[in-house]
Amino acid sequence: MPSNGLPTVRLVGVGAALPDPCLSNDDLSQIVATSDEWIWPRTGIRQRRILPPHLSLVDLAAQAAKAALAQAGIPPQDLDLILLATSTGVERFGSAPQVQAALGATRAVAFDLTAACTGFVFAVATAAQFLQTGLYRRALVVAADVLSRTVDWADRTTCVLFGDGAGAVVLEAGETDGILSIELRSDGSGSELLSLSMATEAKPLVGSLQVGQYRCCPIAMNGREVYKFAVQAVPEIIEKALFRAGISAEAVQGYFIHQANQRILDAVAKRLQLDPQRVASVLEYYGNTSGASVPIALATWIEQGRFGAGDLGVMAGFGAGLTWGAIVFRWGK
Ligand code: UT7
């Protein structure tokens, strides 16, 4: 992006990690009053992956990170920065240092970033700033979420949507532009539409003094309103990012949009008059993996040879906060 002599940023490796255990729509119909006939046409989801209890979010994140580093050909010791985009970290003080330790990325500073399903896009934008200023040269962005550990498995309006997964990209400072534009937005006035919050309960402490104590609440969502927000906000932000990059929608080979609902992907494609073949879709197999869904879709397309070095791409996220954003990029070294 900068044309001022500062370093530019290239995206040089991507990886994904999906747990093996698979939960189908038919399986779900044994848990709540739902069916494949309801879930599939409304969402495009057939199955999702579930992280077994003996594994942690850090295990999943590290697995995706190793795959991305291997593809980039960069040893973990060469990383300067690790950002973990997650809303379901094992450690509320931050889980990124545990990912750093698991990778043996001894030189890297590591911290968490939370922006729900937009977390990966926000984290790539954040990491890019460190590289563009010249402070760091190599960064790893990992998005990982285990929403299966936070949903209410008795609530059919949410538990059928989400799955567990992680995805990662490696960014490297260079001389050729890899990140062509960034557009990010937040609107906290819509925060009640989608939440994974802590309730505060009052407890007597001593004498008349009360203290607040946190209690984790499951995911709560107003699906219809989030849907309306997404089909309006996502095409707009993509258009703005393309305009800022000076690139036409047709010039882009791959659109990697947050995988929440196939109908949202179809509506975005229609609004932007995109060839649906250029809009990545993997939610049939993995459901909504929150922040991880964009890099999982990117990793899948690169593995399948549908997207590669020199291709133009758009990544776009949207979700709780509310948050949304888009990045136009050129893939590879
Ligand atoms: O990453 C976070 C971003 N999240 C999203 O992007 C989600 C966006 N929203 C959506 O994808 C859709 O709104 C949903 C897929 C969540 C829901 O689809 P919908 O067509 O908006 O359904 P609805 O919420 O309006 O519910 C329609 C009916 C209701 O029954 P009544 O009140 O009409 O009798 C629900 O109780 O479907 C019922 N229902 C279900 N029935 C069977 C809701 N969930 C289920 C279910 N199985 N799992």
Side-chain angles (χ1 to χ4, degrees):
M1 202 157 49
S3 53
N4 50 9
L6 291 173
T8 55
V9 178
R10 298 170 301 169
L11 298 162
V12 294
V14 64
L18 280 314
D20 290 331
C22 192
L23 182 70
S24 69
N25 292 348
D26 287 339
D27 294 333
L28 272 165
S29 69
Q30 297 175 39
I31 304 169
V32 285
T34 194
S35 60
D36 184 57
E37 290 71 31
W38 192 94
I39 301 169
W40 166 249
R42 272 188 181 71
T43 67
I45 300 167
R46 287 266 193 220
Q47 59 186 50
R48 64 289 291 144
R49 303 296 184 87
I50 305 293
L51 190 70
H54 69 278
L55 294 175
S56 80
L57 176 121
V58 169
D59 298 321
L60 202 58
Q63 193 188 333
K66 283 176 189 165
L69 287 164
Q71 193 181 90
I74 290 176
Q77 300 82 354
D78 285 1
L79 287 172
D80 302 304
L81 174 69
I82 297 172
L83 295 188
L84 174 63
T86 186
S87 309
T88 50
V90 274
E91 174 54 72
R92 281 172 43 215
F93 283 148
S95 306
Q98 292 182 41
V99 176
Q100 181 235 34
L103 295 175
T106 44
R107 289 181 44 247
V109 62
F111 61 93
D112 287 20
L113 185 154
T114 299
C117 304
T118 324
F120 177 74
V121 172
F122 277 22
V124 168
T126 304
Q129 309 311 304
F130 283 94
L131 271 54
Q132 285 168 348
T133 57
L135 185 63
Y136 295 138
R137 285 201 61 76
R138 291 184 191 88
L140 172 78
V141 172
V142 197
D145 268 309
V146 285
L147 288 172
S148 69
R149 295 185 182 182
T150 68
V151 294
D152 174 356
W153 286 101
D155 178 3
R156 68 177 182 177
T157 67
T158 52
C159 75
V160 304
L161 303 173
F162 300 103
D164 301 335
V169 292
V170 179
L171 292 81
E172 192 170 34
E175 284 77 43
T176 49
D177 273 347
I179 293 198
L180 307 176
S181 71
I182 296 172
E183 289 284 339
L184 309 176
R185 300 283 187 279
S186 301
D187 177 7
S189 70
S191 61
E192 79 290 349
L193 295 181
L194 182 46
S195 64
L196 178 57
S197 54
M198 307 294 277
T200 300
E201 290 174 343
K203 291 249 165 74
L205 194 60
V206 59
S208 62
L209 183 68
Q210 289 201 323
V211 67
Q213 293 280 275
Y214 278 149
R215 179 177 50 80
C216 294
C217 301
I219 291 180
M221 179 172 72
N222 182 332
R224 280 190 190 177
E225 288 305 314
V226 174
Y227 187 95
K228 279 195 244 167
F229 149 72
V231 298
Q232 163 89 18
V234 176
E236 265 177 29
I237 200 89
I238 291 177
E239 264 177 347
K240 288 202 164 92
L242 286 168
F243 178 77
R244 191 183 281 272
I247 283 170
S248 70
E250 306 83 68
V252 172
Q253 279 86 15
Y255 287 84
F256 305 95
I257 299 168
H258 171 47
Q259 310 277 301
N261 187 319
Q262 186 60 45
R263 288 188 296 147
I264 294 176
L265 298 179
D266 293 344
V268 172
K270 199 169 165 203
R271 199 67 200 271
L272 295 175
Q273 297 180 303
L274 307 176
D275 174 359
Q277 296 298 317
R278 295 196 177 184
V279 181
S281 175
V282 296
L283 84 172
E284 176 175 357
Y285 313 105
Y286 309 129
N288 178 344
T289 53
S290 189
S293 83
V294 168
I296 289 171
L298 178 62
T300 305
W301 268 37
I302 287 183
E303 194 187 326
Q304 293 173 350
R306 297 176 74 173
F307 193 76
D311 284 348
L312 286 170
V314 170
M315 54 177 86
F318 62 91
L322 298 170
T323 54
W324 64 110
I327 296 177
V328 180
F329 65 96
R330 189 180 295 283
W331 181 254
K333 295 194 178 188

